[in-house]
Amino acid sequence: MSQTPRLRFAPSPTGPLHIGGARTALYNWAAARALGGKFLLRIEDTDVARSTKASLDNILEALSWLGLHWDEGPGRGGEHGPYFQSERLALYARHGEELVRRGAAYPCFCTPEEVDAMRAAQEARGARTMYDRRCRNLSEAERQARLARTPRPSLRFALPLDRVVRVHDLCKGEVEVNTAELDDWVMLRPDGMPLYNFACVVDDHAMRITHVVRGEEHFLNGIKQILCFEAMGWPAPAYAHIPLILGKDGRKLSKREAAVAVLEYRDRGFPADAVFNYIALLGWSYSGDQDVFSRDEMVARFRIADIGKAGSKFDEEKFLWMSGDYIRRMSLERVLEEAAPHLVRGGIPGGALHSHRDWLRNVLACLQERVRVYSELPDKMRFLFQDGIALDEAARRNLDKEPGARAWLRAYAEHLRQVALPPSYPGPRGACDTAVRLPVSKYEPHAAPTGLPCATPVDLEHDARAFAERLGVKFGAFVHPVRAALTGTTAGFGLFDTLFLLGREQALARLLAAAG
Ligand code: GLU
């Protein structure tokens, strides 16, 4: 009987979703999609003290932002719910009892203090720390007597002793583990809360999970789980334990790097598609020479068996490059849409997003290739919204070093009075703006011309060249003071794009102000 592939992401809501967790989610999602199966989200919230609503919300939001939509789980429902482990306690209790009946689990009466003392004594002897199985070896009479005194013991798994477990891990290959390396682990606490390995087995079975992709740190848990599946008489899913993500230097990702939450990248202005793409590459490659791909392209090629066996490196520089690459290749409308919250947060008037949308798109056309993340945009465009501009030191030097510069600026301002410049923000860009012939390909076509024709950036440049010639000034020398006057800096995008976007009132006022 062929089974529908079913994969799951099973986070514990004890902190925000980090890069490592997002990668696990992404590979399970991609495998489910590639195999034509289902992707489930299960919340492993049995650690009541550490689970928080804020973490849960963060995880759900980050997954949704990355486009890792789940078919079953919180907010979506499904036949195998509830999808919060804290709501499935009766199921764990029932299966725990079943394992006791089968002799594969036993009640443990040891208090946490006794277990701690046992560990301390083992450490003092230099022995391996593990549960010494004292409750496993109780006689039946003793067990009944203890049960009468302690009706709610914890439950431990009775590990098969000295057995070699052979597994075929889809990532690690054939691996053998001797059960001597493992402990009789706690399955259920006296308060009825299951521990991770047990709840995971019960739920992976109940939810018909067929494949599990997760971090290598769970490999030994996987062995415990396989033995538990076996004791229950259930088939275990196929496992792929994937290598850790390493820092750029090839060592384990530092606390600082590892702790970066996915939503922090959103807040820093990375596009979601770029974050998805970069995370996908942390252990898998699309092809030898192509790093940039869409979700659909990934799904078309993804196979669990192709996840790399060596740890992949997290390289923030490459991540930033990829983010910039995504921004460069997006439509201006999309850039505007995704950048909007960053613009507002960076002090750009929110109203402009409605009243000056065409103009803003053209501003973004000039900046699209100059930023790596959206949050770099506001600083580069703020000068267009200000009434007047203060010159920074380099701009002032530029103005001072050319003796005639102030006179040129005054003359240029006078000259520009005759030129059909569009109005400055917050003036209505409407008529003049939409009438522009668009000779510069990076501008998006505007609506049909409705007003008087304006000068275009290309027109403005031709005109400025002729003007400088009439002044008897080299064009190269002329543009520096003009840039300083218009932008207050020595950097920025094309000068005549700047003049065009800055518009008439601000251009004249700034040229005259700088002329002194
Ligand atoms: N709740 C576990 C974790 O977040 C799940 C591990 C698993 O996928 O089995 O690490």
Side-chain angles (χ1 to χ4, degrees):
M1 190 184 74
S2 76
Q3 273 178 309
T4 308
R6 291 170 61 85
L7 292 95
R8 54 31 172 217
F9 178 51
S12 306
T14 53
L17 185 69
H18 293 149
I19 293 294
R23 181 186 65 158
T24 301
L26 195 154
Y27 287 164
N28 282 291
W29 173 89
R33 295 287 172 267
L35 294 166
K38 297 276 185 237
F39 175 58
L40 283 73
L41 180 62
R42 178 172 80 221
I43 304 300
E44 303 206 328
D45 58 348
T46 55
D47 186 344
V48 179
R50 293 175 57 228
S51 296
T52 66
K53 169 87 168 61
S55 301
L56 172 67
D57 291 345
N58 178 289
I59 293 167
L60 301 183
E61 196 176 334
L63 291 173
S64 303
W65 183 67
L66 287 172
L68 303 178
H69 303 298
W70 51 98
D71 304 304
E72 293 175 28
R76 289 210 53 123
E79 289 174 48
H80 303 279
Y83 294 89
F84 287 84
Q85 287 188 327
S86 58
E87 296 171 18
R88 302 170 64 83
L89 302 186
L91 189 68
Y92 310 127
R94 205 168 71 235
H95 289 302
E97 283 162 21
E98 175 61 26
L99 277 190
V100 173
R101 265 197 301 280
R102 293 172 181 226
Y106 58 91
C108 172
F109 305 95
C110 297
T111 62
E113 294 73 30
E114 282 170 308
V115 174
D116 286 347
M118 184 190 308
R119 294 240 155 88
Q122 287 163 341
E123 265 168 25
R125 287 203 305 277
R128 226 188 96 209
T129 54
M130 62 183 295
Y131 180 64
D132 66 6
R133 302 195 164 104
R134 60 181 73 161
C135 291
R136 179 167 175 169
N137 302 322
L138 295 177
S139 68
E140 193 47 37
E142 178 66 6
R143 185 165 292 150
Q144 292 309 327
R146 301 282 292 263
L147 270 174
R149 286 201 303 275
T150 314
R152 291 172 148 265
S154 51
L155 216 58
R156 280 188 189 267
F157 188 72
L159 201 75
L161 303 176
D162 275 330
R163 220 186 91 188
V164 174
V165 184
R166 286 188 185 83
V167 289
H168 176 78
D169 189 281
L170 297 178
C171 188
K172 296 168 85 74
E174 309 297 326
V175 191
E176 288 186 356
V177 177
N178 193 306
T179 55
E181 289 179 38
L182 307 172
D183 219 342
D184 279 5
W185 45 280
V186 177
M187 296 161 41
L188 281 165
R189 288 209 179 87
D191 64 2
M193 274 297 172
L195 275 96
Y196 158 66
N197 281 309
F198 185 53
C200 184
V201 167
V202 169
D203 289 343
D204 281 346
H205 173 75
M207 297 178 181
R208 310 274 183 272
I209 299 301
T210 56
H211 303 72
V212 172
V213 181
R214 64 187 171 196
E216 193 161 51
E217 70 275 17
H218 284 298
F219 176 71
L220 282 182
N221 285 329
I223 304 290
K224 294 179 187 175
Q225 292 170 17
I226 287 171
L227 291 168
C228 187
F229 272 106
E230 188 185 282
M232 293 299 302
W234 297 334
Y239 293 102
H241 289 96
I242 63 178
L244 292 175
I245 301 172
L246 304 173
K248 206 174 153 190
D249 56 4
R251 278 193 288 232
K252 203 172 158 217
L253 209 58
S254 73
K255 274 258 159 44
R256 191 181 55 79
E257 293 165 309
V260 179
V262 167
L263 291 183
E264 272 182 45
Y265 288 102
R266 178 194 65 183
D267 297 345
R268 281 173 59 190
F270 286 69
D273 289 353
V275 177
F276 175 97
N277 191 151
Y278 188 70
I279 292 176
L281 285 174
L282 294 170
W284 180 79
S285 58
Y286 181 75
S287 73
D289 54 5
Q290 191 183 332
D291 273 349
V292 177
F293 45 82
S294 67
R295 288 176 181 74
D296 287 348
E297 286 173 320
M298 177 183 188
V299 165
R301 287 205 187 173
F302 187 75
R303 288 176 43 214
I304 295 174
D306 293 339
I307 299 175
K309 294 180 178 33
S312 53
K313 293 189 184 150
F314 183 82
D315 177 350
E316 170 124 348
E317 272 308 304
K318 180 164 181 194
F319 197 3
L320 278 164
W321 167 84
M322 181 163 282
S323 172
D325 191 63
Y326 266 84
I327 294 175
R328 272 195 295 285
R329 289 182 302 110
M330 263 179 211
S331 75
L332 292 173
E333 188 53 34
R334 178 99 185 270
V335 175
L336 183 53
E337 208 169 283
E338 294 204 354
H342 301 277
L343 300 185
V344 172
R345 203 177 313 150
I348 302 301
L353 293 162
H354 305 288
S355 60
H356 286 65
R357 217 168 165 84
D358 287 346
W359 175 67
L360 271 177
R361 270 210 304 263
N362 281 338
V363 173
L364 293 176
C366 296
L367 290 173
Q368 184 173 32
E369 303 200 350
R370 294 174 171 258
V371 297
R372 297 183 299 177
V373 288
Y374 296 129
S375 53
E376 288 169 4
L377 286 167
D379 280 352
K380 294 189 188 301
M381 58 200 276
R382 189 167 292 117
F383 76 97
L384 293 167
F385 293 86
Q386 288 163 340
D387 190 10
I389 195 90
L391 270 55
D392 70 17
E393 215 170 288
R396 189 159 293 288
R397 266 203 307 276
N398 245 343
L399 213 61
D400 289 341
K401 77 172 180 236
E402 199 62 69
R406 290 189 158 78
W408 306 341
L409 296 181
R410 191 167 306 110
Y412 190 42
E414 288 309 322
H415 168 75
L416 284 179
R417 286 189 200 283
Q418 318 303 317
V419 174
L421 276 173
S424 296
Y425 180 85
R429 297 285 294 188
C432 205
D433 194 24
T434 52
V436 171
R437 283 178 290 117
L438 295 158
V440 183
S441 62
K442 69 186 169 202
Y443 289 98
E444 280 204 336
H446 282 170
T450 53
L452 295 171
C454 279
T456 66
V458 169
D459 298 337
L460 292 171
E461 177 169 350
H462 286 314
D463 176 66
R465 282 183 188 278
F467 179 77
E469 208 175 306
R470 286 203 297 284
L471 271 186
V473 178
K474 277 215 178 80
F475 185 61
F478 176 70
V479 292
H480 295 303
V482 173
R483 177 182 293 283
L486 295 182
T487 68
T489 69
T490 50
F493 52 88
L495 182 58
F496 297 97
D497 292 327
T498 303
L499 178 58
F500 171 74
L501 293 167
L502 187 60
R504 171 177 213 80
E505 294 80 7
Q506 283 299 317
L508 299 187
R510 291 182 190 192
L511 289 167
L512 290 173

